[in-house]
């Protein structure tokens, strides 16, 4: 049986909920389809000690401030899950789960959204599936030869799984720094980064990242010089555990190794580090396979967008994947504005068709 609605939102994490909030304000009929069994998107799956890099009030979705977490200036992931669960209840958002979307297809004037449990016809689609579900691992020689344990950020839970082991953490971003800091006490840690770690100044946090991303977008839109955006500030927010480990001299980074072998990793000059585990904190790619039937991908794998709208099909919007779908749109505080713009544009498009 095929059901009908104005807009299908694919993904019920923070981006999908922000889209729902604004679609409701536009008076549109919509449904949010989410593959998870419970609310909270990727935040349900992060490691135990993860803290947000901005205080609660600066990590809020439209309409409702995140309450502070008692005793924590930078809330934990579990607090975000509670906030997102409350958010969808508060606004009575029509989220259906677990419903995994397999493919979005052209169907005359409509889009047909095929799921594992039936299909939807929609006049527009907002894809908000995040990146957590597509971990990226670089092609490093010998990766298949390593005899120890290899895992990506998405599978890391805490130091208890590595007590007393020789662990290599790869990656100079926030995940790499936070996981390395998490492991300094219980493991024999080697932290490797492609370039020397670049910390944001200690007195600034995720709020500055949001401001920098917004200023960059404004400069580019107005034809001014590229401000460099977030990258100009640094790669790592010095959240308290990272700062403590760094200041205690326990977060020393080595350059990236050139290969793995059975027992560990090796650098070009012949230096070796034996290892029991390698944790790849090497980032993510947008989870877009459900959009493949539309054939819209550009040369870099992204779907070309104008704001959040797919250039080649105004019925499709992409939300929350990175700056290419709105400045800071992959953050809690940053996704509200592109979500509002997407809902407005869709309302305009559907109006023009009536
Ligand atoms: P997700 O939370 O991944 O939600 C997407 C939802 O879509 C999921 O429920 C998923 O199951 C579902 N889905 C996927 N594919 C399908 C499909 N085919 N059909 C149906 N449903 C599907 N941001 C901040 O603002 N502050 C921070 O401190 C911060 N820290 C971060 C730390 C880490 C380690 C990471 C990885 C990210 C962090 N972010 C932070 C960035 C961002 O806020 C999160 O990545 C956030 O989870 C992105 O939300 P989202 O809704 O775009 O995606």
């Amino acid at each position: 049986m095929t059901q009908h609605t104005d807009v299908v939102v694919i993904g019920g994490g923070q981006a999908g909920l922000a889209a729902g909030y604004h679609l409701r304000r536009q008076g549109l009929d919509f449904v949010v389809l989410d593959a998870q069994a419970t609310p909270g998107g990727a935040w349900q799956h992060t490691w135990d000690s993860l803290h947000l890099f901005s205080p609660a009030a600066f990590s809020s979705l439209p309409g409702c401030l995140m309450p502070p977490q008692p005793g924590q200036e930078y809330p934990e992931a579990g607090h975000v899950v509670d906030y997102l669960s409350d958010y969808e209840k508060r606004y009575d958002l029509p989220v259906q789960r677990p419903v995994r979307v397999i493919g979005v297809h052209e169907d005359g004037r409509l889009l047909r959204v095929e799921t594992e449990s039936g299909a939807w016809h929609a006049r527009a689609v907002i894809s908000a599936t995040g990146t957590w579900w597509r971990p990226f691992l670089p092609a490093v020689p010998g990766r298949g030869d390593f005899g120890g344990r290899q895992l990506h950020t998405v599978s890391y839970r805490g130091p208890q799984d590595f007590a007393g082991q020789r662990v290599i953490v790869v990656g100079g971003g926030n995940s790499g720094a936070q996981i390395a800091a998490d492991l300094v006490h219980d493991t024999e840690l080697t932290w490797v980064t492609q370039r020397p770690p670049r910390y944001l100044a200690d007195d600034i946090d995720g709020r500055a990242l949001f401001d920098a991303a917004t200023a960059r977008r404004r400069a580019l839109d107005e034809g001014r010089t590229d401000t460099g955006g977030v990258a100009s500030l640094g790669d790592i927010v010095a959240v308290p555990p990272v700062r403590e480990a760094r200041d205690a001299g326990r977060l020393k980074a080595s350059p990236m190794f050139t290969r793995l072998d059975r027992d560990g990793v090796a650098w070009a000059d012949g230096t070796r580090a034996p290892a029991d585990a390698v944790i790849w904190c090497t980032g993510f790619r947008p989870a877009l396979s459900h959009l493949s039937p539309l054939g819209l991908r550009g040369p870099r794998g992204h779907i070309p967008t104008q704001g959040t709208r797919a250039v080649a099909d105004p019925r499709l919007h992409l939300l929350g994947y990175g700056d290419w779908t709105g400045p800071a749109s992959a953050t809690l505080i940053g996704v509200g504005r592109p979500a509002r713009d997407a809902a407005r544009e869709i309302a305009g498009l559907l109006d023009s068709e009536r």
Side-chain angles (χ1 to χ4, degrees), residues 50 52 58 65 79 96 104 113 116 119 144 155 160 177 202-203 206 263 270 315 328 340:
L50 175 73
L52 289 189
F58 297 91
L65 278 184
H79 186 69
Q96 298 198 5
V104 180
V113 179
E116 284 175 346
S155 305
Q160 64 280 4
D202 285 1
D203 57 346
D263 303 315
R315 297 170 299 180
R340 179 198 64 191

Side-chain angles (χ1 to χ4, degrees), residues 74-269:
Y74 297 93
E76 294 165 346
H79 186 69
V80 184
V81 172
D82 292 345
Y83 168 69
L84 295 179
S85 310
D86 291 345
Y87 188 90
E88 62 180 69
K89 275 196 221 115
R90 178 188 185 107
Y91 294 110
D92 194 22
L93 298 175
V95 187
Q96 298 198 5
R97 53 168 75 88
V99 179
R100 176 174 298 284
V101 171
I102 306 158
V104 180
H105 304 259
E106 289 267 1
D107 202 344
R109 292 180 55 210
L110 300 176
L111 292 169
R112 194 177 73 258
V113 179
E114 297 281 356
T115 81
E116 284 175 346
S117 47
W120 287 82
H121 267 142
R123 299 166 70 199
V125 164
I126 298 180
S127 183
T129 46
T131 57
W132 183 260
W133 324 95
R134 239 188 106 202
F136 172 74
L137 277 89
V140 180
R143 210 177 75 200
D145 301 334
F146 180 58
R149 184 172 169 203
Q150 290 189 67
L151 62 156
H152 185 270
T153 310
V154 296
S155 305
Y156 177 75
R157 287 294 160 268
Q160 64 280 4
D161 297 337
F162 302 93
Q165 295 184 10
R166 299 161 300 178
V167 181
I168 313 278
V169 172
V170 185
N174 284 301
S175 305
Q178 284 197 31
I179 289 177
D182 210 27
L183 290 166
V184 288
H185 297 293
D186 302 303
T187 66
E188 203 180 298
L189 172 74
T190 305
W191 182 31
V192 300
T193 59
Q194 246 171 351
R195 56 183 180 188
R198 297 189 320 140
Y199 295 95
L200 274 76
D202 285 1
D203 57 346
I204 60 175
D205 56 30
R207 286 170 279 193
L209 298 179
F210 174 71
D211 292 343
T214 309
R216 175 170 195 245
R217 171 54 51 206
R218 202 170 294 139
L220 293 178
D221 287 350
E222 291 169 4
R224 289 186 280 118
T225 315
D226 190 344
T227 59
V230 168
S232 64
L233 296 176
D235 300 321
I236 301 166
V237 180
V239 291
V242 169
R243 200 180 308 165
E244 275 159 33
R246 181 201 61 191
D247 293 350
R250 304 186 77 153
L251 261 194
K252 296 237 168 61
S254 306
M256 182 64 191
F257 50 81
T258 47
R259 63 185 318 278
L260 291 96
D261 57 29
R262 219 192 107 64
D263 303 315
V265 302
W267 285 263
D269 66 1

Side-chain angles (χ1 to χ4, degrees), residues 9-17 33-36 38 40-47 50-54 58-59 75 84 97 99-103 128-133 153 174-175 178 206 284 287 289-290 319-321 328-335:
V9 179
I10 308 173
Q14 65 200 36
L17 300 188
L33 306 178
D34 186 34
Q36 300 297 291
T38 48
W43 296 107
Q44 300 170 77
H45 302 282
T46 58
W47 61 95
L50 175 73
H51 285 256
L52 289 189
F53 48 64
S54 306
F58 297 91
S59 304
L84 295 179
R97 53 168 75 88
V99 179
R100 176 174 298 284
V101 171
I102 306 158
T129 46
T131 57
W132 183 260
W133 324 95
T153 310
N174 284 301
S175 305
Q178 284 197 31
F284 305 85
S289 60
H290 55 290
L319 187 62
Y321 296 106
S329 69
T331 65
L332 284 151
I333 196 167
V335 75

